[in-house]
Amino acid sequence: MGNLVAIVGRPNVGKSTLFNRLTKTRHAIVSEEAGTTRDRQYGKCEWCGKEFSVVDTGGWVVNSDDIFEEEIRKQVVVATEEADLLLFLVDTQNGLTDWDQDVAKILRRTKLPVILVANKVDNSGQQFDAMEFYKLGLGDPQCISAASGSGTGDLLDLILEKLPSVKDEDDYIDDTPRFAVVGRPNAGKSSLINAFIGEDRHIVTDIAGTTRDSIYTKYDKFGFDFYLVDTAGIRRKNKVTEDLEFYSVMRSIRAIENSDVCILMIDATRGIEAQDMNIFQLIQRNNKSLVVVVNKWDLVEDKSQKSINTFINAIRERMAPFTDFPIIFASALTKQRIFKVLETAKDVYLNRKVKIGTTKLNEVMLPIIEATPPPSIKGKYIKIKYCAQIPDTQIPSFVFYANLPQYVKEPYKRFLENKIRENWTLTGSPINVFVRQK
C-alpha cells in the first residue's frame, strides 16, 4: 500500500502544473485563470523505487462567496483529514498574501507533516523572494519551478523523507483475500456492505491496520472467507458531509490500495459517469482485480436482454482497452444477486493467482506468434522464440524473449495479452506482458 500526498494552496499558484510534473502526465488542466481546477485529479508518483498517490485539490479560498470556492475549501479540509502529507504551494512572483496566511493558520493546526513549497522560482535570484514565506511558520520554503522541473528532485527527496513509513500489511492480516466495495456517492456501497455483513452478528471482526488506521472487516460464512476493506459504510466519517464527492474518492484511494479485488458499484438509474471512470482508472493504476456491479437494478423498468446488452456494451466501451471483467446486475436493497457478487469476486481473486506452466504456455503461444508475428520495422524482422510466466508476482506477468524487443510496440503486447486471455481464464485480473532480449 502507498501513501497519499495532497497539493493544497490558493488559486493559480501552480498546483495542477506540479501535479502533472510529479505524475508525469498532463491530466490536470493548466490555465492562467484562477480557479480552473474544480474537478479533482488523482495520480501516482514514483521516485527512487518508492510510489505514492498524489491528489490535486482546488484552490483554497477562505471567506469567499463563490459556491465553487466553498466546495474547494471543503475538499482541502478533507485532504487534511485523509492525506498522509500536505504540499502547501505558494507563489514567489506574487509574494505573500492574506490568503496564504489564512491557509497557513489552518494548516498549522493539523497534525500532518506539511511541506511549504515556493513555486515559480525560475532563476537563482528569485530564491531570495521566497524568504518572506518564513512568516507562515511552516518551516523552510522548498524552492521549485513546477513548469521547468527545477528543484522538484529535491522536493521528492523531502517528500519521501517526511512520509510515514508504510508497514508491511502482513504485520496486520493474513493471506486472506481483501475485497473493497468502491464507487461514487449514492451508488449503493453502504447498502451492499450492510447486505453482506448484516445477516449474522458473529461474522464481523474489525482489524485496524496499515497507515491512517484502515479497517478490515472479516466475513466468514456461507463458505466464504475474506476481508472487506475500509470504505464507505464501515468507518465513521469525521467532519465531512456524506455526499461530498471528493471525500468518496479520497477514501476510494485508500480502499483500492489495500485490496486485492475491487467491487465497483455503478448506479443503474444514472449509468456510467465521469466519477465512475475516475475510480476505474485508480483501480487500473493500482493493478487491482475488478468486478463491476450495476446496482439498483430493481429500479430499472426495462430489464430485457437488449437493455442488459446495451448497458454492458456501454460499460466495456468506456473502460476499453481492459474489457475482460465480469459485470453483474444486482440490487443491494432487495439482495438480488449479492451472493453471485461474492462468488464472482472470489473467482476473480483466484484468477489473479493463476499459474501457467512454461511448456503449455509455449505450446499455445508460439504457433500464434508464428502465424501473426510482430510487424517488421525499418526492414528488421522480430522473432519471438520463447515465453514464460514470471513467478512470485502480484498479478499474472508474462515475459516474451525476442531478438529485437525494443521494436515490439504496445498494440502487439495487447495482442499477446488478448491471446493469453482467450486460452486461459484470467477474467477480472490485470496482467503484465514484457518483451525482453533473447
Side-chain angles (χ1 to χ4, degrees):
M1 173 195 147
N3 279 305
L4 189 56
V5 175
I7 306 172
V8 301
R10 62 181 176 81
N12 211 29
V13 292
K15 295 184 297 300
S16 296
T17 306
L18 179 60
F19 172 87
N20 288 343
R21 174 70 57 182
L22 295 180
T23 58
K24 299 179 182 178
T25 65
R26 294 184 179 179
H27 290 161
I29 300 171
V30 178
S31 169
E32 292 295 325
E33 182 180 347
T36 298
T37 303
R38 283 169 176 172
D39 294 327
R40 301 314 92 213
Q41 296 290 338
Y42 324 96
K44 285 288 204 182
C45 177
E46 185 176 352
W47 185 251
C48 295
K50 295 185 179 179
E51 194 175 58
F52 55 89
S53 297
V54 184
V55 181
D56 170 25
T57 67
W60 191 346
V61 182
V62 180
N63 298 326
S64 169
D65 293 330
D66 189 320
I67 187 170
F68 287 107
E69 291 173 351
E70 172 62 21
E71 287 303 306
I72 289 168
R73 189 192 66 78
K74 286 182 185 177
Q75 289 165 0
V76 182
V77 171
V78 172
T80 63
E81 293 283 328
E82 291 295 325
D84 295 292
L85 182 144
L86 300 173
L87 300 182
F88 177 28
L89 213 59
V90 292
D91 184 345
T92 54
Q93 292 182 2
N94 290 334
L96 184 63
T97 68
D98 292 341
W99 284 353
D100 294 325
Q101 292 178 341
D102 289 337
V103 172
K105 283 180 186 176
I106 301 174
L107 294 183
R108 283 197 298 267
R109 298 189 195 110
T110 183
K111 295 178 182 178
L112 293 179
V114 178
I115 298 177
L116 178 61
V117 183
N119 191 28
K120 304 183 184 179
V121 179
D122 298 318
N123 56 63
S124 56
Q126 290 180 321
Q127 291 185 6
F128 298 103
D129 297 334
M131 297 302 103
E132 65 175 324
F133 294 110
Y134 277 103
K135 294 179 182 177
L136 297 175
L138 292 170
D140 299 331
Q142 186 73 28
C143 296
I144 70 161
S145 172
S148 68
S150 172
T152 51
D154 292 336
L155 173 62
L156 284 164
D157 289 339
L158 187 58
I159 289 172
L160 293 187
E161 180 185 320
K162 287 186 174 289
L163 277 176
S165 59
V166 179
K167 298 180 181 179
D168 192 336
E169 292 175 21
D170 292 336
D171 294 342
Y172 299 99
I173 62 173
D174 50 34
D175 293 331
T176 304
R178 291 160 291 173
F179 300 163
V181 181
V182 296
R184 54 180 168 74
N186 302 319
K189 299 184 296 296
S190 298
S191 298
L192 185 64
I193 291 167
N194 289 339
F196 286 163
I197 69 176
E199 298 172 298
D200 197 341
R201 282 171 289 183
H202 72 80
I203 62 167
V204 180
T205 308
D206 288 342
I207 301 174
T210 64
T211 310
R212 303 288 288 173
D213 193 28
S214 294
I215 302 294
Y216 296 90
T217 301
K218 188 72 177 286
Y219 183 102
D220 57 1
K221 65 175 182 176
F222 303 138
F224 295 105
D225 187 13
F226 62 87
Y227 288 102
L228 276 172
V229 182
D230 167 39
T231 184
I234 292 181
R235 191 166 65 158
R236 180 174 164 267
K237 302 174 178 63
N238 293 334
K239 306 174 186 176
V240 181
T241 56
E242 178 80 20
D243 60 349
L244 184 58
E245 186 175 281
F246 181 59
Y247 178 85
S248 173
V249 177
M250 290 285 284
R251 296 303 297 276
S252 293
I253 293 172
R254 292 281 180 208
I256 289 166
E257 288 181 343
N258 284 326
S259 69
D260 295 308
V261 178
C262 294
I263 300 171
L264 175 58
M265 304 286 288
I266 294 177
D267 188 336
T269 63
R270 298 177 62 177
I272 185 166
E273 297 182 336
Q275 187 69 359
D276 299 315
M277 291 306 301
N278 276 340
I279 296 172
F280 170 72
Q281 287 160 10
L282 284 170
I283 295 168
Q284 276 201 309
R285 288 182 199 133
N286 285 277
N287 285 326
K288 304 302 181 182
S289 300
L290 174 66
V291 176
V292 173
V293 176
V294 181
N295 191 31
K296 305 183 184 179
W297 193 240
D298 56 311
L299 301 180
V300 176
E301 292 183 5
D302 182 8
K303 296 182 176 66
S304 65
Q305 190 60 45
K306 182 179 179 181
S307 175
I308 291 173
N309 291 340
T310 301
F311 220 117
I312 290 174
N313 292 336
I315 292 171
R316 297 205 190 280
E317 284 175 12
R318 290 289 300 275
M319 296 184 178
F322 179 44
T323 58
D324 187 17
F325 53 84
I327 300 174
I328 301 170
F329 293 81
S331 170
L333 192 62
T334 65
K335 297 184 172 58
Q336 181 186 16
R337 297 193 189 92
I338 65 165
F339 194 78
K340 185 173 182 181
V341 173
L342 295 182
E343 286 182 324
T344 306
K346 181 180 177 181
D347 291 343
V348 165
Y349 175 76
L350 294 176
N351 293 343
R352 188 181 179 88
K353 303 295 182 182
V354 163
K355 304 296 181 188
I356 302 171
T358 302
T359 302
K360 184 65 177 176
L361 187 66
N362 282 272
E363 284 178 359
V364 173
M365 293 303 297
L366 291 185
I368 293 173
I369 293 168
E370 188 176 351
T372 312
S376 61
I377 296 179
K378 301 177 181 178
K380 297 180 179 180
Y381 292 91
I382 304 156
K383 295 181 181 178
I384 296 175
K385 293 291 187 181
Y386 178 74
C387 57
Q389 183 174 0
I390 304 172
D392 302 323
T393 54
Q394 283 192 340
I395 61 174
S397 300
F398 302 89
V399 58
F400 292 79
Y401 293 95
N403 59 336
L404 297 168
Q406 67 272 25
Y407 292 138
V408 179
K409 303 302 181 184
E410 202 60 38
Y412 195 77
K413 289 181 183 178
R414 283 202 296 271
F415 167 78
L416 294 175
E417 176 183 338
N418 290 336
K419 291 302 176 183
I420 292 171
R421 291 186 184 278
E422 284 178 15
N423 288 278
W424 289 277
T425 303
L426 293 164
T427 302
S429 174
I431 69 174
N432 286 327
V433 173
F434 304 101
V435 182
R436 293 178 181 165
Q437 186 71 42
K438 184 176 66 172

